[in-house]
Amino acid sequence: MSEATGKFEVDGMTCGGCVRSVTRAVSQVPGVSKVDVSLERKSASVAYDPARVQPAAIVKAIVGAGFDARQA
C-alpha cells in the first residue's frame, strides 16, 4: 500500500468534542489509516491510501460532521 498524507483546513471547531467528532468522522472513511486533528491549528493531517480514497471524500466526511473543510 502506498500511503499519502493530506492536510486539511477545518473551520468551526471550538473544543475537544469538535476534535473528537472530526477524528471519528474521518477515521470511518475506508482507506484512512491515521488522523491527527489540531484545534489550535484548525487543521487535520490524514494518512490514507490514495488507491482507496480521494481527498474530496475526506473533505466530505468533515463537512458531514458539521464543519467547513478544504484541502490545504
Side-chain angles (χ1 to χ4, degrees):
M1 172 174 98
S2 172
E3 198 165 79
T5 301
K7 301 284 186 190
F8 301 86
E9 295 176 17
V10 183
D11 291 325
M13 295 188 298
T14 58
C15 64
C18 296
V19 170
R20 287 189 294 279
S21 293
V22 172
T23 301
R24 187 179 319 111
V26 175
S27 294
Q28 292 175 350
V29 175
V32 169
S33 59
K34 185 178 177 195
V35 183
D36 180 26
V37 180
S38 170
L39 178 61
E40 294 78 19
R41 292 189 304 271
K42 298 181 178 168
S43 68
S45 177
V46 182
Y48 63 95
D49 178 355
R52 295 183 61 203
V53 64
Q54 296 301 309
I58 296 168
V59 169
K60 184 176 179 181
I62 297 169
V63 171
F67 303 92
D68 291 327
R70 66 198 147 284
Q71 190 171 9

